[in-house]
């Protein structure tokens, strides 16, 4: 089967091309390039991610889960900017054409596209070691994007969901021993949280013009808090006792649980600084948010484990090439 | 060295971030995503390419040449849409951090960014088998993009530059024997054309609202002419005797020369259909263009090698996965 036929068969479907709002899409797949036109007064938000087998995802996976996860993780950067998803492109490098693999991958990709209301508008297919490149596009009103800079002393530090699920989910994927207290429903929950994360786009949009700064937790809470602190020129204080976790993660004893909440990446929940006056309205609108600390004058990330704040010196967030 | 430090050292330079017009770039590298705002009435043109070692480029290369070529090839899709380049993102998957490699690659990338006036606005760096993912952004006035559809019977079929240079250049890169007539200057010219192609952005912009259809020759003339014919619902007639080649390519005897002109990809010159009334003005403006045939009613690609037009049945353009 030729490259073009391959693309047509698996990626040219309404489930992928019409998953999101169509107004901004002037030209989709089929020409040398795609054409987008953001609505008047809106800016285009753009993020690129690449995923490599064995680095970003375990070797033992279902193609459908991989398709879902790849897109959801990329869309999370749109949520982190308070953007509404519009469209994405896919650069797919594959060692060989395996139809069962492609069918599964396209199915998972379409499920994530539907869940996040985002349409496939272009791509490229190549032979080589498995590599997924996704570029996602969203729009946000001019001046309303949620940046890493902008947090001010006195703001509340908040997260938009439980922490540590992806760390525990990865442990299960890697067949590490689970605590006896973890029941099958908890196990399924964690595997879903790892393989099928939901980008917090709704919350992100609700934070546009409301939160003072924010990002998504992809490197781990401490590392990402460090990014926010550095970009904003402030200190960030975190209280370990206030970190939220799911009932499933709570099955693990300390220090494993805390380590995952602080250091495991891939949770893709939003971390943001919020002027205190906005808290009540967000909660009244039904948003789950947990205050885990405060922004203060100074610099760095400070963690209070019950003995007062201590500066976190070595941020354990995941870095590629760290060992070199 | 950590991933972030790596990115900072080699990719955060004015040569890369300020290479193109800045008006549309609201946020560049440094947050979760970049922000672009096309000028009023302009649409955003988007194209994604991935390049894999051993597939898209020979294993024996200079990193600076690879950096140049990767970006120029991606920008060629903007030229093919008659767009003005604005910005690009880079997803770089590398087996290991090699500083000499990165320094060279970044230098070549910056040279291509300067030549094409396009700024780096974001990216992602990962460990894994070498893979380059580039997504490029340009803008074009609403309704003026050059599409593959739109060619009409009677239009002239034109190319914007000589054909076969990249095919001959690749033969030299692969150390194939060169004809005695090829002098060192011709050799250098072909190697440059292979490693440092220039996307025809100026010509593309001149064709906006003028050419009826067009694309860039990346799969080979016959294959790309087939794309134009299929998208436009017309037949395309090509006269072999009118195909232009450089003095360097003319050193090779037939049938090698013609095979490269018809079938070798990677020339990245524009192929377009032009209502005859526009020809004189384009030439008066100084654009090099060669009429290589005509558009006619019907379908398919027809080649006249002196014995009248024959339908080209098997298009020899390069397809990934063709053998499977």
């Amino acid at each position: 089967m030729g490259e073009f036929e391959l693309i047509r068969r698996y990626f040219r479907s309404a489930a992928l091309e019409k998953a999101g709002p169509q107004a901004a899409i002037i030209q989709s797949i089929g020409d040398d390039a795609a054409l987008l036109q953001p609505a008047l007064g809106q800016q285009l938000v753009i993020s690129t991610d690449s995923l490599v087998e064995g680095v970003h995802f375990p070797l033992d996976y279902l193609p459908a889960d991989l398709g879902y996860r790849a897109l959801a993780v990329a869309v999370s950067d749109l949520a982190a900017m308070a953007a509404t998803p519009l469209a994405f492109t896919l650069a797919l490098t594959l060692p060989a054409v395996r139809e069962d693999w492609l069918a599964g991958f396209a199915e998972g990709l379409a499920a994530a596209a539907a869940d996040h209301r985002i349409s496939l508008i272009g791509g490229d297919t190549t032979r080589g070691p498995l590599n997924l490149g996704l570029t996602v596009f969203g729009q946000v009103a001019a001046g309303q994007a949620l940046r890493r800079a902008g947090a001010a002393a006195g703001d509340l530090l908040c997260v938009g969901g439980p922490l540590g699920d992806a760390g525990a989910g990865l442990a299960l994927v890697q067949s590490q021993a689970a605590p006896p207290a973890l029941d099958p429903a908890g196990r399924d929950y964690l595997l879903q949280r790892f393989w099928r994360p939901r980008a917090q786009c709704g919350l992100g949009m609700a934070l546009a013009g409301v939160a003072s700064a924010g990002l998504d937790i992809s490197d781990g809470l401490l590392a990402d808090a460090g990014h926010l602190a550095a970009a904003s020129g402030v200190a960030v204080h975190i209280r370990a006792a206030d970190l939220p976790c799911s009932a499933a993660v709570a099955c693990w004893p300390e220090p494993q649980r805390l380590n995952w909440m602080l250091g495991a990446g891939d949770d893709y929940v939003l971390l943001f600084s919020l002027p205190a006056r906005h808290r009540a309205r967000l909660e009244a609108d039904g948003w789950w948010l947990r205050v885990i600390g405060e922004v203060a004058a100074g610099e760095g990330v400070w963690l209070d484990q019950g003995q007062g704040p201590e500066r976190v010196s070595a941020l354990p967030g995941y870095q590629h090439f760290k060992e070199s």
Side-chain angles (χ1 to χ4, degrees), chain A:
Chain A
M1 194 191 322
E3 176 185 10
F4 305 117
E5 178 55 29
L6 179 83
I7 293 167
R8 257 191 302 275
R9 184 169 312 178
Y10 293 105
F11 296 108
R12 300 223 56 183
S13 66
L16 279 167
E17 292 186 55
K18 307 285 184 196
Q22 296 293 301
I25 302 172
I26 311 298
Q27 162 78 46
S28 182
I29 301 174
D31 215 302
D32 290 296
L35 286 166
L36 277 187
Q37 186 155 37
L40 205 66
Q42 302 274 311
Q43 296 170 340
L44 206 79
V45 181
I46 299 165
S47 178
T48 286
D49 269 315
S50 52
L51 282 85
V52 177
E53 192 169 40
V55 177
H56 293 97
F57 50 93
L59 292 168
D60 180 21
Y61 62 85
L62 293 175
D65 283 341
L66 179 64
Y68 193 101
R69 180 172 155 80
L71 181 55
V73 164
V75 171
S76 184
D77 280 326
L78 296 180
M81 297 292 278
T84 305
L86 292 176
F88 71 103
T89 61
L90 170 68
L92 185 61
T93 304
L94 285 175
V97 176
R98 278 183 40 208
E99 296 208 35
D100 56 339
W101 192 97
L102 279 169
F105 180 81
E107 180 201 315
L109 195 70
D115 283 351
H116 297 90
R117 304 205 65 226
I118 190 165
S119 305
L120 182 65
I121 56 164
D124 190 23
T125 317
T126 312
R127 190 177 43 215
L130 185 58
N131 189 303
L132 309 174
L134 284 109
T135 303
V136 292
F137 307 96
Q139 66 181 15
V140 66
Q144 300 271 294
L146 190 60
R147 313 272 188 113
R148 295 179 175 195
D155 288 348
L156 305 174
L157 186 72
C158 305
V159 289
L163 300 170
D165 281 350
L170 180 60
L172 295 178
V173 169
Q174 294 173 333
S175 303
Q176 294 176 23
L182 184 71
D183 62 13
R187 188 183 176 81
D188 286 351
Y189 164 84
L190 292 173
L191 289 172
Q192 283 289 108
R193 289 280 292 158
F194 180 81
W195 281 118
R196 302 213 168 203
R198 288 287 288 266
Q200 298 194 303
C201 294
L203 176 61
M205 291 181 238
L207 295 178
V210 172
S212 52
L215 74 177
D216 65 323
I217 299 180
S218 53
D219 293 330
L221 174 64
L222 293 181
D224 285 313
H227 297 150
L228 188 146
S232 295
V234 296
V236 156
H237 286 254
I238 294 172
R239 288 181 298 274
D242 290 343
L243 297 178
C245 74
S246 63
V249 166
C251 294
W252 271 268
E254 298 295 7
Q256 179 62 83
R257 183 167 63 185
L258 185 63
N259 282 344
W260 278 333
M261 290 195 286
L262 293 174
D266 291 334
D267 274 328
Y268 301 107
V269 303
L270 297 185
L271 170 70
F272 53 98
S273 56
L274 186 70
R277 67 183 183 282
H278 293 305
R279 178 182 183 177
R281 211 204 67 207
L282 281 173
E283 290 182 334
D285 286 346
W287 294 109
W288 189 105
L289 59 91
R290 289 295 178 274
V291 177
I292 62 166
E294 286 87 32
V295 178
E299 58 176 355
V301 176
W302 300 71
L303 181 65
D304 186 343
Q305 299 194 63
Q307 275 90 45
E310 285 185 279
R311 178 137 185 203
V312 179
S313 51
L315 298 178
Y318 187 75
Q319 286 199 16
H320 304 295
F321 302 122
K322 200 191 212 162
E323 76 293 354
S324 61

